[in-house]
Amino acid sequence: MISASARLLRLVSVLAARPSWTCAELAERTGVTERTVRRDIARLREIGYAVESEPGPWGGYRLRAGSRVPPLILDDEEALAVAVGLREAALSGALGGDQAALSALLKLRQVLPRRIAERLEEMDAAFVHTPRTAEPQITSGMLLELAAACRRAERARLAYRDGKGRSTVRDVDPHRLVHTGRRWYFVARDVDRDEWRTFRADRVERVQPTGQPVELTDPPDPAQLVSRSTANGPYPLTATVRLPLPLEQALRLVPATVGTHRPDGPGATVVEIGGPDPDGLAGYLLGLAVPLRVLDPAAVREALARRTRELLAAQSDD
């Protein structure tokens, strides 16, 4: 005699296999009486499964989408397929930066049977992702470790390789993971420096929990912190420009990963944009194709004026 919970799982699996079943068919497939089937159907409805019934000799039961998510029954192949799909969504950022796929994958991997988890690890080792625009790759395993560090609310020891290839080990208080559409960033408080930092997730070599609980006080907005660090951090020169666009339109023209924005009245936005040199910044600004104004520095303003004159001269008749 199987337990009631196992019987319910079996009944859900059978119901999901085709659009409709008679009570007699369900009783035969699950090895119980029709009375037990009706009682189990009532129990499934109580815990959230939307099981519809049709009266009459040709009627039966069918499973439809409900108003809330009930317990989900997956066999080995289905669980593996869902895990692979979630991993791909997390790595590609296909669902945006809300981390929904990563969070779901973290929950799923915590409850996967060992035999399925091992198959997923084998696939992780075999798959190769072609990075977009030569971006570095990051494994789903490291993403899950970083996500788990954020969820645990405890200090972690981070082995990190910086942009110059130097390896360091530091204690951090994890906060959030942020996806910019190009890369994943790990936002955490550097304990020794007592400041909030952004770490490129693909440069994290190891993250180890310390068991020391932490309570973050007044943490920063992680998306804004990443935006500021990626927009101007790696560049030797920063230009301040005024766009004749409201903030929402300015963000579409110059993404938050490229510039730091602040509104300047209802119809304009001031943006700080990093670049390698005045000429490079002038070329980027010219490509925006809007009547912007360079507020600072003068070298970028002069380079933009020179490029504009050259463009006009090339269009004039000989």
Side-chain angles (χ1 to χ4, degrees):
M1 180 71 67
I2 62 174
S3 67
S5 58
R7 195 174 66 243
L8 289 177
L9 295 181
R10 171 64 176 160
L11 180 56
V12 170
S13 179
V14 173
L15 281 168
R18 75 183 198 198
S20 181
W21 296 84
T22 67
C23 186
E25 289 173 330
L26 290 174
E28 182 181 355
R29 290 292 296 269
T30 56
V32 297
T33 66
E34 293 186 27
R35 180 180 179 182
T36 300
V37 168
R38 288 191 287 269
R39 187 168 61 245
D40 288 348
I41 291 291
R43 177 59 183 147
L44 288 177
R45 288 168 174 164
E46 288 176 3
I47 61 177
Y49 286 94
V51 183
E52 293 183 335
S53 59
E54 297 178 355
W58 304 107
Y61 296 99
R62 68 172 179 268
L63 191 63
R64 67 170 177 81
S67 58
R68 60 190 178 94
V69 180
L72 187 63
I73 310 302
L74 300 173
D75 62 25
D76 286 9
E77 296 300 323
E78 292 168 337
L80 183 63
V82 171
V84 170
L86 289 172
R87 183 197 60 183
E88 295 305 301
L91 288 173
S92 67
L95 300 180
D98 58 7
Q99 304 184 66
L102 186 58
S103 177
L105 180 56
L106 180 61
K107 293 176 183 178
L108 181 60
R109 289 192 70 155
Q110 288 175 333
V111 298
L112 283 178
R114 187 62 214 166
R115 62 183 181 278
I116 305 178
E118 288 174 352
R119 291 183 62 187
L120 186 61
E121 290 168 3
E122 292 171 357
M123 297 180 74
D124 279 338
F127 284 176
V128 176
H129 294 267
T130 302
R132 293 174 297 177
T133 62
E135 291 297 332
Q137 300 181 52
I138 180 170
T139 66
S140 60
M142 177 54 70
L143 275 180
L144 289 175
E145 287 189 46
L146 293 173
C150 294
R151 290 167 63 95
R152 276 192 296 261
E154 68 179 53
R155 188 157 294 169
R157 188 148 293 144
L158 195 72
Y160 186 72
R161 176 178 42 81
D162 65 18
K164 296 181 179 180
R166 297 172 299 193
S167 294
T168 60
V169 177
R170 60 190 84 186
D171 286 351
V172 298
D173 295 337
H175 180 35
R176 290 289 186 273
L177 275 170
V178 177
H179 189 257
T180 65
R182 297 174 58 202
R183 299 188 181 115
W184 283 96
Y185 288 87
F186 178 53
V187 176
R189 189 179 75 89
D190 189 311
V191 176
D192 291 337
R193 299 184 183 183
D194 191 24
E195 63 181 10
W196 287 97
R197 302 288 304 276
T198 61
F199 300 92
R200 285 234 325 238
D202 58 277
R203 291 178 180 166
V204 175
E205 298 175 336
R206 186 178 68 258
V207 56
Q208 180 180 357
T210 64
Q212 179 180 349
V214 292
E215 184 176 349
L216 301 180
T217 57
D218 194 26
D221 182 306
Q224 289 184 6
L225 186 64
V226 170
S227 176
R228 287 196 299 268
S229 65
T230 57
N232 303 319
Y235 297 108
L237 181 65
T238 300
T240 304
V241 302
R242 186 178 188 272
L243 302 178
L245 301 169
L247 180 60
E248 184 177 349
Q249 294 182 29
L251 281 166
R252 287 198 293 266
L253 183 66
V254 181
T257 53
V258 174
T260 304
H261 304 64
R262 68 175 186 272
D264 186 27
T269 304
V270 173
V271 186
E272 293 182 0
I273 305 173
D277 51 54
D279 195 60
L281 271 170
Y284 175 79
L285 296 175
L286 192 62
L288 297 179
V290 295
L292 57 87
R293 180 184 177 189
V294 178
L295 303 179
D296 189 68
V300 174
R301 187 164 52 246
E302 293 165 1
L304 181 61
R306 175 180 53 78
R307 278 188 167 236
T308 303
R309 289 194 298 268
E310 292 173 352
L311 182 64
L312 289 173
Q315 309 309 311
S316 61
D317 295 330
D318 294 332

